[in-house]
Amino acid sequence: MKTRNLLLSLALLAWPLLAPAQAQPWPSKPIKLIVPFPAGGPTDLVGREAANILRAALGQAVVVENRAGGNGTVGLEVLAKSAPDGYTIGLTAITLSIAPHLGQAPFDPFKDFAPITNLVSMTPIVVANPALPANNLREVAAYAQANPGKLAFGTPGVATIPHLGAEMLQKAGNFKLLHVPFKGATQQIQDLIGGSTLLDFQSSLVVALPQVKAGKIKPIAVLTAKRAPQLPEVPTAAESGFPSVIVAPWFGIGGPAGMPADMVKKMHEALVKGMQGKEAVDRFTAIGAAISTHASPEEFTAYIRSEYNRWGEVIRAANIKAE
């Protein structure tokens, strides 16, 4: 009897050591946040701000890992294939809603992810060389109609948000422009200033705003639903006679499909609260981003699907193919 009692006591003492790791409170180790874009840009800033917010709220390290490539698809594929244990999340983007229509998506946007919340949307802007004899979108449309296919406009590439926004505008205004794809927003602006192109579509204010302030280029319109606080005198496309042209490149946070609901909920609450702080608001306002963290996981999921349907129509109508 004594021997049996001794063995029972030893077994009870050893039980905590044998308990599975899953019993530890989450998070018990660093969380990885995948940013599917290069370090240093405005998209990277969004991911790092989210990491800072979660780090403070969860009391655990949140490490950013940049996995650029394929206009965001490389990093999103890594996220989709990660274990849904709450220790790998990622910056999700409008790429989720566009890439599948181009045959570029090594993932299913609706089956492979657990959306957590939307974070911000950028402010696309149309700018022009001062030599262009047009100061608003109506005048751009009239000039393009008088010179069909001759007015060259720059974008950062085929099937990028600026390109898709330009296609929406051309369809809405019944005119045709000449697309000149570049490999980056900075080169676009340089060629616009130099006069190689006279019109340019940018996905955010980051590169264009300093040149507008310096008077080297002129703003034509923003493509968001509301005017940008950084350029309050610049009208929206809707105000300029193109109500259907509303473009807002968005970025949010998500995990791999199957991520536990309680972890999704905890991250959602932390991000919504953190993104309303003055420092976060100021940082994003400075780059022309609007904060939109009201979306619940369910609302964010519905928004991704609505964007998928919307951009699919644009891509098919313009017959855009991936390069």
Side-chain angles (χ1 to χ4, degrees):
M1 179 66 72
K2 290 182 179 180
T3 301
R4 186 167 62 184
N5 289 340
L6 177 61
L7 291 173
L8 178 61
S9 297
L10 290 173
L12 290 173
L13 288 171
W15 171 249
L17 300 176
L18 299 174
Q22 289 87 336
Q24 296 180 4
W26 175 87
S28 61
K29 62 180 182 179
I31 296 169
K32 178 169 65 178
L33 194 159
I34 297 170
V35 173
F37 300 99
T43 52
D44 185 51
L45 172 63
V46 178
R48 291 181 187 277
E49 186 66 29
N52 290 337
I53 290 170
L54 291 173
R55 188 179 299 119
L58 302 177
Q60 185 59 260
V62 180
V63 182
V64 172
E65 180 179 303
N66 294 89
R67 297 293 293 270
N71 197 27
T73 59
V74 172
L76 288 171
E77 181 183 14
V78 173
L79 176 62
K81 293 180 178 179
S82 298
D85 56 6
Y87 289 101
T88 302
I89 56 174
L91 184 71
T92 55
I94 196 170
T95 304
L96 279 179
S97 299
I98 294 174
H101 297 292
L102 301 168
Q104 293 180 321
F107 51 75
D108 186 306
F110 308 114
K111 295 180 180 179
D112 292 342
F113 301 96
I116 296 174
T117 191
N118 204 350
L119 292 179
V120 300
S121 58
M122 297 298 181
T123 304
I125 185 171
V126 184
V127 289
N129 184 289
L132 180 67
N135 296 305
N136 56 58
L137 285 183
R138 287 191 184 92
E139 293 177 357
V140 168
Y143 183 87
Q145 287 167 348
N147 301 274
K150 294 181 180 179
L151 177 54
F153 72 98
T155 76
V158 173
T160 58
I161 279 295
H163 181 205
L164 298 182
E167 293 295 343
M168 289 179 70
L169 181 64
Q170 290 173 84
K171 183 179 179 182
N174 192 30
F175 60 89
K176 189 65 179 174
L177 302 170
L178 176 63
H179 184 206
V180 181
F182 289 85
K183 292 185 177 180
T186 301
Q187 186 62 51
Q188 284 176 244
I189 292 294
Q190 290 174 350
D191 278 40
L192 181 69
I193 293 172
S196 296
T197 56
L198 293 180
L199 195 65
D200 194 82
F201 287 70
Q202 293 276 322
S203 60
S204 74
L205 299 180
V206 175
V207 175
L209 187 58
Q211 304 302 335
V212 170
K213 296 292 188 182
K216 293 182 179 180
I217 58 177
K218 60 183 179 182
I220 300 296
V222 293
L223 302 184
T224 43
K226 297 180 180 179
R227 294 193 181 197
Q230 300 85 351
L231 294 168
E233 73 284 359
V234 179
T236 65
E239 291 174 324
S240 304
F242 301 90
S244 64
V245 182
I246 298 176
V247 183
W250 51 264
F251 298 93
I253 294 293
M259 185 174 167
D262 59 331
M263 297 178 187
V264 170
K265 182 175 184 291
K266 193 169 184 179
M267 286 189 176
H268 172 264
E269 292 173 349
L271 290 165
V272 169
K273 181 179 180 181
M275 289 291 286
Q276 302 305 318
K278 185 179 183 304
E279 289 186 3
V281 171
D282 289 346
R283 271 194 285 272
F284 288 116
T285 299
I287 63 170
I291 293 174
S292 53
T293 50
H294 61 281
S296 68
E298 295 76 19
E299 289 170 334
F300 190 25
T301 299
Y303 179 65
I304 293 171
R305 184 170 288 279
S306 70
E307 285 283 274
Y308 173 87
N309 294 334
R310 181 175 185 240
W311 292 114
E313 291 180 4
V314 173
I315 290 167
R316 287 189 294 271
N319 195 29
I320 297 172
K321 307 294 182 183
E323 287 191 335

